[in-house]
Amino acid sequence: MILREFLYVDTDKVRAMLAQLEGGVAEESRETERKEKRTTVGPRVAGQYFQGAGSETYTNKSLGDALFPMLEEALESESLLRDISEEVSDPQQWSSGEIKRGLPPGSLVRITTMGSLFDTRYAASAFSAFGSVVMGLNDLGLAPTVNPANQGKVKQGQHGRAPKQRTTDGPAALEDSIPDFPDIGGADGKTLRAFVRVSKGVFAPGLHVNLTPTEGVLISSRLQEGRQYLDSESDILFARYGTERQEWTVVGSIGSYGTEEKSLPHAEFHNADGSVNRAKFADSLNAQMRNLGRLGFVDLPQQPGFSLIPFAVYRSIPRGGAGVVAEWSQ
């Protein structure tokens, strides 16, 4: 028996696919039981005495948490789900192109490998907290050690300041929460704000599961908010799971592979009469975005990796008994 600790379940996708396989989805189980005893005393014309005893049992068991294991088992029984954990950990499979040839987009796969969580919003929050601590320590006269190379650039009495207030009425950018503060070990407010700006392009704000089964390969999954289990704030999720690489299992369908194109088509999308050819226009812009994805500048899969549309993300809970027995037997 596998006991799973779910980070994410797309219940809408799971229900839809399970309904196709099973012809319907059971949401709950009910069991009702009733017993009754009746006794009549005295002649019918004189009157009757009834003594009854009854009991009723009602059980309402939600099957919501069992939906994904049911789907996983059904897909395996129909040979629709393929575990590719070993394949993606083999560099030869990537360099030869075997994975892309054998697993076209839309393939249902399960991958268990090392990976980490990433969210640009958490990076901005962490950098903002760091800047706040530095400014607070300065105000208390407990300033951290300043990088000697940049110490002369900090004016006397400058303990850091909040970033300039926005003059527009639009929503504040993530990096705007990071205050200005003196250089500490090569990091200052301006540098950290620049990191967040880059991060917003490379990984669109939101929670990502980045699987790295072998060097140079990234399998990315963007988790959609509002789905089951993904109901905690970014700070809480990272406080629980951290930023370190650990083993995750992702079940889902392959979205798309990183482009191998290295040249851009001509940006020619006009018809002979001067009107815009909408199909050519869309193809031209998509080619531009694929090129940016190849360079890693936008949130698209990067060759040779692929994007994975997740049905569920979980960790398998290890059994501690075997380890304890092995330790005591030595």
Side-chain angles (χ1 to χ4, degrees):
M1 178 181 178
I2 299 176
L3 190 59
R4 303 168 180 87
E5 180 189 358
F6 286 102
L7 171 68
Y8 174 83
V9 176
D10 190 332
T11 50
D12 291 341
K13 285 186 179 295
V14 170
R15 283 191 178 96
M17 190 160 292
L18 192 57
Q20 295 179 61
L21 292 170
E22 303 292 342
V25 180
E27 295 290 346
E28 62 182 12
S29 175
R30 300 190 181 193
E31 180 182 354
T32 303
E33 181 181 358
R34 184 177 181 84
K35 297 179 181 179
E36 183 173 319
K37 181 179 179 182
R38 177 175 296 187
T39 303
T40 302
V41 180
R44 186 180 299 274
V45 295
Q48 301 181 34
Y49 174 75
F50 297 95
Q51 182 178 8
S55 65
E56 184 174 346
T57 302
Y58 173 77
T59 303
N60 184 352
K61 180 181 179 182
S62 174
L63 300 180
D65 290 346
L67 284 178
F68 175 74
M70 291 168 59
L71 174 64
E72 196 172 22
E73 182 179 353
L75 290 174
E76 289 181 327
S77 66
E78 296 291 337
S79 299
L80 293 172
L81 180 64
R82 178 177 169 186
D83 193 307
I84 60 171
S85 303
E86 292 187 5
E87 289 95 321
V88 297
S89 299
D90 183 1
Q92 179 64 27
Q93 294 281 327
W94 294 100
S95 59
S96 65
E98 185 64 28
I99 287 182
K100 188 174 183 179
R101 287 192 298 269
L103 295 167
S107 300
L108 301 182
V109 297
R110 177 175 58 226
I111 303 175
T112 301
T113 189
M114 300 299 289
S116 60
L117 306 180
F118 185 84
D119 193 336
T120 297
R121 298 170 301 183
Y122 179 71
S125 175
F127 291 162
S128 175
F130 173 67
S132 177
V133 169
V134 172
M135 293 175 61
L137 292 176
N138 275 325
D139 292 341
L140 293 173
L142 303 173
T145 303
V146 179
N147 188 346
N150 297 324
Q151 188 171 6
K153 298 180 181 179
V154 181
K155 296 181 180 179
Q156 185 175 4
Q158 180 181 352
H159 300 306
R161 60 183 183 279
K164 295 180 179 179
Q165 297 295 324
R166 292 173 55 87
T167 58
T168 63
D169 295 331
L174 290 175
E175 65 270 17
D176 289 344
S177 63
I178 303 174
D180 285 319
F181 57 89
D183 186 289
I184 303 295
D188 57 16
K190 181 179 179 180
T191 300
L192 297 185
R193 287 194 295 273
F195 275 124
V196 173
R197 292 189 186 99
V198 173
S199 176
K200 288 193 300 184
V202 177
F203 292 100
L207 186 62
H208 298 252
V209 177
N210 293 328
L211 303 180
T212 50
T214 187
E215 186 176 358
V217 174
L218 175 65
I219 301 172
S220 58
S221 294
R222 171 76 182 275
L223 306 188
Q224 185 175 348
E225 295 183 355
R227 295 301 190 258
Q228 191 169 358
Y229 298 102
L230 191 61
D231 55 0
S232 300
E233 297 179 1
S234 177
D235 290 354
I236 297 177
L237 283 173
F238 280 90
R240 291 174 175 174
Y241 296 105
T243 59
E244 296 80 7
R245 294 174 72 242
Q246 55 184 293
E247 188 175 83
W248 291 101
T249 297
V250 182
V251 177
S253 63
I254 295 178
S256 64
Y257 286 85
T259 182
E260 298 181 32
E261 301 173 2
K262 294 186 178 180
S263 61
L264 292 176
H266 296 291
E268 181 60 47
F269 45 80
H270 290 90
N271 294 317
D273 60 358
S275 60
V276 172
N277 186 309
R278 298 176 67 223
K280 291 183 178 179
F281 178 78
D283 288 343
S284 177
L285 287 190
N286 281 335
Q288 295 283 352
M289 288 185 285
R290 287 196 299 270
N291 184 59
L292 293 176
R294 179 180 65 84
L295 298 173
F297 291 166
V298 296
D299 192 3
L300 287 173
Q302 193 172 31
Q303 202 274 336
F306 56 81
S307 62
L308 194 57
I309 304 171
F311 298 166
V313 180
Y314 61 86
R315 299 189 301 186
S316 297
I317 297 179
R319 297 180 179 273
V324 173
V325 173
E327 182 179 350
W328 278 100
S329 63
Q330 293 178 357

